[in-house]
Amino acid sequence: MEYFNIGIIGTGNVALHLATALEAAGHVITHIYGRDINKAAALAERLYDAEPTNELDFSESEAGIFLIAVSDNAIEEVATGLIVPDHAVIAHTSGSKPLQVLENYHPHVGVFYPLQTFSQVNKINFEEIPLLIEYNNNTVKESLTALGLSLSKEVYYLNSEQRRVLHVGAVFACNFVNHMMTLSKRVVEAEELPFKLLHPLMKETFRKAMKLGPEAAQTGPALRGDFSVVNAHLEMLADNKELASLYREISMSIYNNR
Amino acid sequence: MEYFNIGIIGTGNVALHLATALEAAGHVITHIYGRDINKAAALAERLYDAEPTNELDFSESEAGIFLIAVSDNAIEEVATGLIVPDHAVIAHTSGSKPLQVLENYHPHVGVFYPLQTFSQVNKINFEEIPLLIEYNNNTVKESLTALGLSLSKEVYYLNSEQRRVLHVGAVFACNFVNHMMTLSKRVVEAEELPFKLLHPLMKETFRKAMKLGPEAAQTGPALRGDFSVVNAHLEMLADNKELASLYREISMSIYNNR
């Protein structure tokens, strides 16, 4: 296996989890960059060899790979300022930004996108997380592939457009799924019923969707075309225009897609 | 513990799982009623003592409880035809129908609603399934409570209105959640990407929602108010008016509920 010296640009959740996992896999994190030096220092303290810094000049660095793990809107600004040795690889870790945002600034660029949601507290097991890789030349491809395989069994080559499609898919399957649960909780708690009554049903729904595929697992009044129930529910929600409108539109979508 | 002789009216998934679980808990299923005698016989064969029948006259039956587990629309028709001994309890098992649909036909009536989704194949562990009970007098309350506690730790008394609210909540948290996954799969597979790439992210999303509560677990461009991403996604979905419209409306709902 090949081990790398890696500079991490960023101090957020992605930076934290990537740095920790890469170190556990045998790589060396040489630097942690943060605009706020205190945040960089706090993250560096959790690692073995990392130096915190708030300067983007890495021309003297021994790192061979620089991973940009900052918010989408800050990537290009960081890429503009970043100075690294000519042979080094720079990759961002964003699902929605194209490779192209790095190409103007450096010869060896790529994307190293872990398709997962990271929170402060949870330890993440990278082994099963899909790592989506993009590259502008073979040097980058080889480095990022080796890096990816040191973390996960699931390494894929996707172009920027495919990554964007997956991101839209993730919005539906994760962000929107979660919001439906939030709305459910609001409906139930408005009548002072405990949301946890629905937990077993939610667990089973999720299990069935993963096992059978969601299109085969669909149930409910809209699917059955049971409009007496759909209309009764709409009446109950009539006080809340937003909820009623969502209920109507999603029900029609289920009905139309039977 | 009190054991009951029970007549089951119906041959679908709820009838199957209830009958099996009740027998395993020590009760005796005396009859299985089905309009189609073959279906009644097929279910009765999976039980110890049950007699299949396609007649609703149980005036000579030794059963003390009759559970109506037929589709919502058939409950009232069955209740009209059902003849049972005066002391017996009749309960339906529906989340959305009120107790009232039984009250015209019999002195002792109730609702015995297991809040779960049942499929043909999966063995269901009733222990954690909420059983929602309603009754029109204390005899019914005592019988159904004893019956419920023989299956599950989670026995609750909810009136018809509360059950309806929970049903609306279940539509959001289960039917709509599942449909969001279906739409995600369609978006992703339209570009020939494997939906399973999103599975780890979906699992973590679900885990976080259950642990933190969905309102605390929300993420994504709409929550951040990142309209450059939201608009880019809407552009990608422009060919499909239904998807684009749902994307817009749900995103606005997330944004408005920050």
Side-chain angles (χ1 to χ4, degrees):
Chain A
M1 208 175 100
E2 198 175 353
Y3 295 108
F4 296 97
N5 290 322
I6 301 166
I8 301 276
I9 315 298
T11 58
N13 288 334
V14 176
L16 164 68
H17 288 287
L18 266 180
T20 316
L22 288 167
E23 207 175 66
H27 307 287
V28 175
I29 310 300
T30 56
H31 297 90
I32 299 287
Y33 164 87
R35 235 178 345 197
D36 178 344
I37 186 74
N38 294 318
K39 287 192 182 165
L43 174 47
E45 244 171 53
R46 302 172 69 160
L47 303 164
Y48 285 108
D49 307 295
E51 294 266 337
T53 174
N54 60 358
E55 296 190 11
L56 284 168
D57 183 351
F58 293 96
S59 48
E60 306 296 314
S61 167
E62 70 276 37
I65 299 179
F66 291 84
L67 295 177
I68 302 179
V70 299
S71 66
D72 282 4
N73 298 329
I75 292 176
E76 219 164 337
E77 191 194 320
V78 163
T80 320
L82 193 60
I83 304 170
V84 307
D86 269 353
H87 64 273
V89 167
I90 298 178
H92 76 61
T93 58
S94 160
S96 49
K97 286 289 169 182
L99 175 59
Q100 188 199 323
V101 299
L102 301 180
E103 278 182 317
N104 291 335
Y105 308 107
H106 200 70
H108 308 298
V109 295
V111 177
F112 189 80
Y113 172 51
L115 184 51
Q116 185 53 286
T117 172
F118 298 98
S119 33
Q120 198 76 50
V121 276
N122 271 304
K123 198 163 154 39
I124 294 279
N125 176 10
F126 268 81
E127 240 176 83
E128 317 225 308
I129 297 180
L131 296 175
L132 311 186
I133 286 173
E134 193 176 5
Y135 46 85
N136 77 333
N137 65 44
N138 266 324
T139 312
V140 179
K141 180 182 182 182
E142 280 164 26
S143 295
L144 295 185
T145 302
L147 197 67
L149 290 172
S150 74
L151 290 182
S152 169
K153 297 171 299 190
E154 311 280 335
V155 172
Y156 299 88
Y157 303 115
L158 263 67
N159 63 36
S160 295
E161 178 54 24
Q162 291 172 314
R163 222 167 39 248
R164 252 155 76 104
V165 168
L166 269 188
H167 193 219
V168 177
V171 168
F172 276 96
C174 302
N175 300 160
F176 289 0
V177 157
N178 188 79
H179 189 56
M180 294 300 126
M181 296 182 193
T182 301
L183 297 180
S184 170
K185 191 173 179 190
R186 185 166 322 152
V187 167
V188 167
E189 291 185 344
E191 301 298 323
E192 282 161 28
L193 293 165
F195 184 56
K196 81 169 165 63
L197 283 179
L198 290 174
H199 278 199
L201 185 55
M202 291 163 67
K203 270 188 205 160
E204 178 68 7
T205 299
F206 184 74
R207 204 192 58 71
K208 271 167 82 170
M210 298 299 270
K211 190 176 170 191
L212 309 174
E215 67 284 27
Q218 188 67 49
T219 59
L223 183 80
R224 294 194 304 274
D226 188 344
F227 288 103
S228 69
V229 171
V230 169
N231 288 330
H233 286 179
L234 282 171
E235 234 167 80
M236 289 172 71
L237 297 171
D239 285 348
N240 186 323
K241 285 216 172 101
E242 186 191 23
L243 275 181
S245 161
L246 282 171
Y247 186 99
R248 185 182 298 105
E249 197 170 347
I250 299 170
S251 291
M252 285 316 296
S253 174
I254 291 173
Y255 184 74
N256 291 334
N257 287 291
R258 279 164 315 162
Chain B
M1 210 176 98
E2 199 176 352
Y3 296 108
F4 296 97
N5 291 323
I6 301 166
I8 301 275
I9 315 297
T11 58
N13 288 333
V14 176
L16 163 67
H17 287 287
L18 266 180
T20 317
L22 288 167
E23 207 175 65
H27 307 288
V28 175
I29 310 300
T30 56
H31 298 89
I32 298 286
Y33 164 88
R35 236 177 347 199
D36 177 346
I37 185 74
N38 295 317
K39 286 192 181 162
L43 174 47
E45 246 171 51
R46 301 173 69 162
L47 304 164
Y48 285 108
D49 305 295
E51 294 266 338
T53 175
N54 59 359
E55 295 189 13
L56 284 169
D57 182 351
F58 293 96
S59 48
E60 305 297 313
S61 168
E62 69 277 37
I65 299 179
F66 291 85
L67 296 177
I68 302 179
V70 300
S71 65
D72 282 3
N73 298 328
I75 292 175
E76 219 165 336
E77 191 194 320
V78 162
T80 320
L82 192 60
I83 303 170
V84 306
D86 269 353
H87 63 273
V89 167
I90 299 178
H92 76 60
T93 57
S94 160
S96 49
K97 288 286 169 185
L99 175 61
Q100 186 199 325
V101 299
L102 301 179
E103 277 181 318
N104 290 335
Y105 308 108
H106 200 72
H108 307 300
V109 295
V111 177
F112 188 81
Y113 172 50
L115 184 52
Q116 185 51 286
T117 172
F118 298 98
S119 34
Q120 198 76 52
V121 278
N122 271 306
K123 195 160 158 38
I124 293 278
N125 176 10
F126 269 81
E127 238 174 85
E128 316 225 309
I129 297 180
L131 296 175
L132 311 186
I133 287 173
E134 193 176 5
Y135 47 84
N136 77 333
N137 65 43
N138 266 326
T139 312
V140 179
K141 180 182 181 181
E142 279 164 27
S143 295
L144 295 185
T145 302
L147 198 67
L149 290 173
S150 74
L151 291 182
S152 169
K153 297 170 298 188
E154 309 281 336
V155 172
Y156 298 89
Y157 304 115
L158 262 66
N159 64 35
S160 295
E161 180 53 25
Q162 292 172 314
R163 223 167 38 248
R164 254 155 75 103
V165 169
L166 268 189
H167 193 220
V168 177
V171 167
F172 276 97
C174 302
N175 300 161
F176 289 179
V177 156
N178 188 79
H179 188 56
M180 293 300 125
M181 295 182 195
T182 301
L183 297 180
S184 170
K185 191 174 179 190
R186 185 167 319 153
V187 166
V188 167
E189 291 186 345
E191 302 297 322
E192 283 163 24
L193 293 165
F195 184 55
K196 79 171 166 66
L197 283 178
L198 290 175
H199 277 200
L201 184 55
M202 291 162 66
K203 269 187 206 163
E204 179 68 6
T205 300
F206 184 73
R207 202 191 60 72
K208 271 166 81 170
M210 298 298 271
K211 191 176 170 190
L212 309 176
E215 68 284 25
Q218 188 66 50
T219 59
L223 183 80
R224 293 194 305 272
D226 187 345
F227 288 104
S228 70
V229 171
V230 168
N231 288 329
H233 287 178
L234 282 172
E235 233 167 79
M236 288 173 72
L237 297 171
D239 286 348
N240 187 323
K241 286 216 172 100
E242 187 191 22
L243 275 181
S245 161
L246 282 171
Y247 187 99
R248 185 181 301 105
E249 197 170 347
I250 299 170
S251 292
M252 284 318 295
S253 174
I254 292 173
Y255 184 74
N256 291 333
N257 287 291
R258 280 164 313 162

